[in-house]
Amino acid sequence: MQKTISKDDIKELPLKQFEGPVVVVEDPSQVRDIVHKLQKKDIIGFDTETKPSFKKGISHDISLLQLSTEKEAFLFRLNATGFNGALTSLMSNPQVVKVGVGIRDDIRGLRQLNEFQPKGFIELQDLAPQYGLNVLSLKNLAGLLLGIRVSKRQRLSNWEADQLTEGQILYAATDAWAALEIYNKMKQMKLVQSETKNNRNQKSS
């Protein structure tokens, strides 16, 4: 298997977005029921978005928290819902694995909104080298492992806008979903590696 992928190779891949239903959560009264549903999952994709700052010394709080299953994505607009109660409980639940890329800053930003003890998080950038992979970004991992191209065009858009555009919604959902798919692919690779190793051991014995 390839260990890296070039920009030119990624350009040739089909553009892929999350195709399932996306729920944009702005009403605080919706949060508990949605989190209750997510608490039943073993693994979910995780990401956040923050309004970009183009002036030195000025920064913004996290605007959006994205959580995705294989079939459904939820975008929590934290400036409307707040970050507390059910959401902080989910972020502290070790039984629900939350996978993402470059999540240390995401977790740090969430803890600035409301302190919690992060548990159950998996950083895909830590896993990649264990598989001999020489790529770390979501875009490169998706290209290499999933054979798809993930657009990053909306990354520097205004995540605090009164209403998110369709492009923003799809981008945000895709990032969380893609992280989950990458993790699932890595698990499959580990199973294949284990089976291959077992077969070799059986042949040599």
Side-chain angles (χ1 to χ4, degrees):
M1 180 182 175
Q2 284 182 256
K3 305 300 183 183
T4 188
I5 189 169
S6 69
K7 289 183 179 180
D8 289 338
D9 287 339
I10 289 177
K11 288 178 182 178
E12 298 300 317
L13 295 174
L15 184 65
K16 180 80 172 178
Q17 294 177 321
F18 180 65
E19 296 176 352
V22 182
V23 180
V24 179
V25 188
E26 297 179 309
D27 184 348
S29 67
Q30 293 181 300
V31 173
R32 184 175 296 277
D33 286 344
I34 293 172
V35 169
H36 181 68
K37 181 189 295 187
L38 292 171
Q39 294 274 24
K40 298 178 181 179
K41 301 296 181 181
D42 294 326
I43 309 167
I44 56 178
F46 165 87
D47 195 23
T48 71
E49 301 298 339
T50 302
K51 179 181 178 180
S53 174
F54 301 104
K55 292 185 179 180
K56 189 176 180 180
I58 296 178
S59 61
H60 300 281
D61 290 334
I62 288 176
S63 310
L64 197 70
L65 168 62
Q66 303 109 269
L67 302 173
S68 177
T69 68
E70 284 91 348
K71 297 181 179 179
E72 196 170 11
F74 301 92
L75 313 183
F76 297 88
R77 303 204 71 187
L78 299 184
N79 52 348
T81 66
F83 179 69
N84 49 49
L87 280 175
T88 53
S89 176
L90 178 59
M91 297 298 104
S92 298
N93 185 351
Q95 302 303 317
V96 182
V97 175
K98 298 158 283 281
V99 298
V101 176
I103 63 175
R104 290 177 180 83
D105 286 342
D106 297 322
I107 294 172
R108 187 181 302 114
L110 290 175
R111 295 181 77 178
Q112 289 175 352
L113 295 177
N114 191 9
E115 180 57 39
F116 67 97
Q117 292 302 314
K119 294 179 181 179
F121 285 89
I122 292 181
E123 169 60 78
L124 295 178
Q125 290 183 341
D126 292 339
L127 288 186
Q130 297 178 26
Y131 292 89
L133 303 178
N134 296 325
V135 295
L136 296 177
S137 71
L138 180 79
K139 186 172 184 176
N140 288 348
L141 285 168
L144 185 60
L145 297 183
L146 305 179
I148 63 173
R149 178 164 52 93
V150 176
S151 172
K152 307 302 289 183
R153 291 180 62 183
Q154 298 290 335
R155 186 172 66 88
L156 297 179
S157 60
N158 180 11
W159 295 101
E160 294 182 7
D162 290 340
Q163 190 167 3
L164 296 179
T165 65
E166 182 179 356
Q168 285 178 306
I169 290 170
L170 286 174
Y171 167 88
T174 299
D175 269 12
W177 165 79
L180 178 58
E181 292 297 304
I182 290 166
Y183 179 72
N184 288 336
K185 183 67 175 182
M186 286 180 171
K187 286 200 302 181
Q188 291 174 11
M189 290 167 57
K190 189 172 185 179
L191 288 173
V192 170
Q193 289 173 348
S194 297
E195 290 176 1
T196 302
K197 186 176 181 181
N198 289 336
N199 288 336
R200 286 172 179 168
N201 290 338
Q202 289 174 3
K203 289 179 181 179
S204 61
S205 60

